[in-house]
Amino acid sequence: MVFGGVLSEKLGVKKKDFTEWFERVLFYSEIIDHRYPLKGVYVWRPFGMKLMKLLMDKMKKLMEKSGHEEAYFPLFSPISIFSKEAEFLKGFSGESLRVTRTGKRKLSEELVVRPTSETIMYYMFSLWIRSWRDLPLKIFQVVPIFRWETKMTKPLLRVREIVFFKEAHTAHETRQEADEQIKEAIKIYTEFFEWLGIPFILLKTPSWDTFAGAEYNYDFVTVLPDGKALELASVINLGQKFAKVFNIEFMDRNEEKRLVWQTCYGISERVLGAVVAIHGDDKGLVLPPDIAPVQVVVVPIPGKGVDEKIKKITSFLEGLRVVIDERDVRPGEKYYHWEAKGVPIRIEVGEKEVKKNFVTLARRDTGEKIKVEDSRIKKEIFRILSEIQKNISEKAKNGFAQFIKTAFSEEEAKKMIEKGGIVKIPWCGKDECGENLQEKLPGEALGFKDDEKPAEPCICGSESTTYLYFARCY
Ligand code: ZN
């Protein structure tokens, strides 16, 4: 760790050079180390692991509360299983890793290292599901997956080993129940992103870009400070495509054999990437208090009675994650260190504070310093923590709103997309028109909302039925 002014110079300026700032913050806050000699894979340091644990614990709670159960499925899939669904195979052919041998001999069957677990899980679903009584089946796991990208890799945002892939997979009796499940998944993810203060829009993916093997899917999309869009989560209705090829049948309530209806949805460490990118500043991380591995740091300014006072005030803070930084370095260096790690509140205690029965609190999000009487410390800390949560969410929301613009001509759209942010264009809803636009415009077609109706016509001249959203993407 580099301390003091040196550190803040090293992080750089977020607005000016986002990419460098982002990678430096991840490194100096000790979330990951990018120096491992393999492109696109990263070492997670203890601080990063703590962050992801707090984040995933919340997700697991939301999953379990809504009737999902955690399971574990193998990393390898025999190629015979993986290749059963043609579109799925095609969709992952380029970036899936294959294992063909050990050090000594060739394997009898090629193995696929999971790029996602549909085929692995659904083989087992076909063994488990017998009757309508076995439904709905709602399973999730948090595992690493591997997608050997050829595009430029970027820590947390575009990696080859996705370390924290939370994937949920469900099976249902009817099409209607699968549609309902999609709504539940959207509700869960909405709550999750709101909890993290990450603004997003929810878009239905255009049919030409739908997940391999799916009927339709929705994406949660946010924008990072450089104006590029980031897909945070996907919610996918698989219909009966996989049920057909894996023969996932059940005896229905009338004793008739039927195929199940399926959905799946996932998130990954990209979510933490968005938290870092959106809330952070030139001093480093700014964390929502709920996921801060350290919520309060106490920095002693050596003097008479300071240690005793710290003992007393930390006893008030039970239930919070508190660190007392007693290292033998200057207080100013300690401030930089904990600011880089995004600790929401710093408490300074010196002789002055001991004499007059107060402490000095510093807020990470605003930099504001507040004097608080000893008797009110507990109350004030909890109040400030919830205020920080509100403040950073609000700030992120305002920033996001400025990134969404509407264009009414191809020329205008081109210019806007190149400038950054998400640009929506009135659209007739026809595939060939959308694909044509996608070809002509920079960036990618992200999707559309189900409930928007522009007054202006589509660029092709026909009446528009919705807006098509475009952006340059991660
Ligand atoms: Zn059109």
Side-chain angles (χ1 to χ4, degrees), residues 138-155:
K138 293 160 85 171
I139 291 280
F140 76 97
Q141 66 177 5
V142 184
V143 293
I145 58 168
F146 295 81
R147 295 181 183 176
W148 228 242
E149 300 272 359
T150 48
K151 286 191 199 169
M152 262 273 265
T153 55
K154 208 171 259 305

Side-chain angles (χ1 to χ4, degrees), residues 427-430 433-434 458-462:
W427 179 42
C428 61
K430 291 187 195 88
C433 177
C458 176
I459 284 174
C460 72
S462 315

